[in-house]
Amino acid sequence: MADSQHSLPLPPQDPEVVAAADLGSNSFHLVVAEVRGGQLVFVDRRKEFVRLAAGLDERKRLTPEATARALDCLDRFGERVRSFLPGTVRVVGTNTLRQARNARDLLEAAQRSLGHPVEIVSGLEEARLIYLGVSRSLAGDERRLVVDIGGGSTELIIGEGSRPLDLESLYMGCVSFSLRHFPNGRVKEKRWRRAEIAALQELEPVERRFRNGAGWRVAVGSSGTVRSVAEVVQAAGWCEQGITLEALLRLRELLLERGTTVQGGIKGLSDGRAPVFAGGVAVLLAVFKALGIEQMRVAGGALREGALYDLLGRLHHEDTRHAAVESMARRYHVQPEQAERVRETALQLLGQCAESWNLTGKLPWLMLSWGAQLHEVGLDINHAGYHKHGAYIVENAEMHGFSLQEHLLLASLVRSHRRKFPRQIFDRLPSGWRQPARRGAVLLRLAAVLHRSRRDEPLAVKLEVDGRDLRLVLPAAWLEKSPLTRADLRQEARYLAAAKYRLTVEEDG
């Protein structure tokens, strides 16, 4: 992206302290770190078993009890981070929040508890963040397989050094498998066979991509299930470090012999982990068998650390999302010169009305800039309705660094940048984003109309806004030289009037 006088506003200085929270399907985690010389020094960690996945009913709605458990925990986390500066806390929701049909209610309450917004990330984005956290906790640049078994999903990543090369997210986890196959912690031979077969079936489509022989030299596990299994098998004396296949097989026999995980007596197993331990072990054993793993190391980092390192990158102007937008623009053959023209003018307009329209903070600038870069991605499919094609691509294609809410916001801008103004599409956004998104869409529409001729010439425009009234002032005699754009602006005024905005266009002098 070219530098310009309308560059994005950046934080005036590095924050002294940052935090990240991982709202998992089994447990919630909070990590706090001080920023010293551009590096993170972890100073506080908190963990609570919330069992959010156990609170999903048959209609995929979170029960009031599960929501209450989550908010009680977040109230306690909020005591620690509520006073932190905006933009210095990253809160990430995973599989259960991806599934829950009433997640929006919890997210808005969670933001009130924490004082910071909650992002829901896709399974592949979760995998990317996991790998980032794991790679920062390991030495060396060897190619590795990373396995993370969460409460509702399992992520597989092959990477080299700090760079992920292949990512996958599977719909199986310690909570979901324990509820389905080992209710109340009861372990029986027949149930175990069913659980292991179910896990192997889930792994079958990706087995060839991730199996030993796909280039990785070492297997690494992260998060609660792997750490708990390692503690149990090492406490039993079955291996000195990490986890071996032989130790896992002995653990399976122990669980079958005992017939339960919840009555104590398993050395190294915490009471909080016990109810979901059998499901996690069954998934892990299936992963070992399917992918040909003989031994697995245990990493110190995981999703929350990865989210924190990703946040640090954003604060140090190394935002992964910039690269994702540029990659998508190249993939769909967006004309960079036209995208830059529209971007320049859109940011120019935003700079003139940001205060009046309360478009403060970094997010409006980022999203308007990215919306301008991607507003023509749909042209690669078909010119007819290309704004609709583009919105579908932006909403559904994987873009590293973007939360699901950010996908929706960016897709809304692309969808609404031309033709009739579709007010209803903004209703899917978090409530606090809806009005800013509509106003950003108006600015993108104006910039796109002004550059419809695709002429490469500077354009100095002025915009005054007062609520829903807009006054656009163009250079003297500009409209006379641009009769097609004048007609387009008249049509745009009619489109905006249907959305209850009033646009007047004048010339300077």
Side-chain angles (χ1 to χ4, degrees), residues 375 377-379 381-392 414-415 417-419:
H375 75 284
V377 292
L379 282 173
I381 298 177
N382 195 324
H383 185 276
Y386 75 83
H387 52 306
K388 298 178 182 178
H389 302 316
Y392 180 86
V414 172
R415 171 64 178 82
H417 89 270
R418 65 190 291 262
R419 300 293 178 89

Side-chain angles (χ1 to χ4, degrees), residues 105-106 109 123 219-220 310 391 465:
D105 296 337
L106 174 58
V220 180
D310 200 55
V465 299

Side-chain angles (χ1 to χ4, degrees), residues 345 446-453 459 461 472 474 478 485 489:
T345 297
L446 292 177
V449 168
L450 290 170
H451 290 285
R452 189 173 178 184
S453 67
L459 178 61
V461 297
L472 183 67
L474 298 168
W478 190 86
T485 303
L489 284 169

Side-chain angles (χ1 to χ4, degrees), residues 433-445:
W433 288 11
R434 293 170 196 166
Q435 185 179 75
R438 292 188 189 98
R439 290 173 169 177
V442 170
L443 300 180
L444 182 57
R445 293 175 69 92

Side-chain angles (χ1 to χ4, degrees), residues 234-506:
Q234 290 171 31
W238 296 332
C239 53
E240 293 183 1
Q241 58 183 0
I243 304 167
T244 63
L245 177 58
E246 180 184 355
L248 264 181
L249 292 171
R250 296 179 71 172
L251 177 57
R252 179 189 64 180
E253 294 308 311
L254 173 66
L255 297 179
L256 289 171
E257 179 184 326
R258 289 180 55 85
T260 183
T261 61
V262 296
Q263 293 180 1
I266 300 178
K267 190 175 181 181
L269 180 62
S270 69
D271 292 340
R273 174 63 53 176
V276 298
F277 188 62
V281 175
V283 170
L284 184 59
L285 182 56
V287 169
F288 265 65
K289 289 181 175 181
L291 304 186
I293 301 171
E294 292 291 332
Q295 185 165 9
M296 176 176 283
R297 300 178 187 174
V298 180
L303 173 60
R304 50 259 180 207
E305 289 82 9
L308 207 49
Y309 282 113
D310 200 55
L311 173 62
L312 188 65
R314 293 182 182 185
L315 295 172
H316 287 173
H317 323 321
E318 298 172 1
D319 195 328
T320 303
R321 295 173 296 180
H322 288 307
V325 169
E326 290 169 358
S327 175
M328 177 173 282
R330 288 192 300 272
R331 186 190 318 162
Y332 290 96
H333 308 102
V334 171
Q335 187 184 65
E337 296 82 6
Q338 176 66 3
E340 184 61 19
R341 293 182 198 108
V342 173
R343 174 184 171 273
E344 283 280 337
T345 297
L347 295 183
Q348 181 184 359
L349 296 173
L350 176 56
Q352 295 171 10
C353 68
E355 185 175 347
S356 299
W357 262 1
N358 195 30
L359 297 174
T360 56
K362 196 174 179 181
L363 186 65
W365 292 83
L366 287 170
M367 286 298 169
L368 187 57
S369 175
W370 293 330
Q373 286 180 269
L374 297 178
H375 75 284
E376 290 189 338
V377 292
L379 282 173
D380 210 41
I381 298 177
N382 195 324
H383 185 276
Y386 75 83
H387 52 306
K388 298 178 182 178
H389 302 316
Y392 180 86
I393 291 170
V394 171
E395 181 176 341
N396 293 282
E398 189 66 32
M399 297 175 69
H400 289 171
F402 282 86
S403 68
L404 297 185
Q405 298 102 310
E406 288 170 338
H407 271 275
L408 281 176
L409 175 53
L410 195 53
S412 298
L413 292 177
V414 172
R415 171 64 178 82
S416 59
H417 89 270
R418 65 190 291 262
R419 300 293 178 89
K420 293 181 180 179
F421 195 94
R423 289 179 291 173
Q424 71 282 359
I425 68 168
F426 299 98
D427 294 340
R428 300 187 299 164
L429 299 175
S431 58
W433 288 11
R434 293 170 196 166
Q435 185 179 75
R438 292 188 189 98
R439 290 173 169 177
V442 170
L443 300 180
L444 182 57
R445 293 175 69 92
L446 292 177
V449 168
L450 290 170
H451 290 285
R452 189 173 178 184
S453 67
R454 309 178 93 83
R455 292 198 301 266
D456 193 11
E457 60 183 27
L459 178 61
V461 297
K462 298 177 185 177
L463 179 66
E464 298 173 1
V465 299
D466 182 9
R468 290 180 172 269
D469 291 333
L470 298 88
R471 178 173 174 263
L472 183 67
V473 182
L474 298 168
W478 190 86
L479 289 174
E480 184 178 345
K481 299 174 185 177
S482 309
L484 290 179
T485 303
R486 178 168 54 190
D488 289 337
L489 284 169
R490 288 172 179 165
Q491 178 61 62
E492 181 60 26
R494 290 191 287 271
Y495 283 141
L496 291 178
K500 303 190 184 308
Y501 289 94
R502 190 163 71 92
L503 172 66
T504 58
V505 181
E506 303 174 9

Side-chain angles (χ1 to χ4, degrees), residues 142-161:
E142 60 192 345
R143 185 165 293 197
R144 56 179 73 100
L145 167 71
V146 173
V147 178
D148 186 293
I149 299 171
S153 64
T154 293
E155 278 65 48
L156 306 175
I157 312 101
I158 292 177
E160 193 170 87

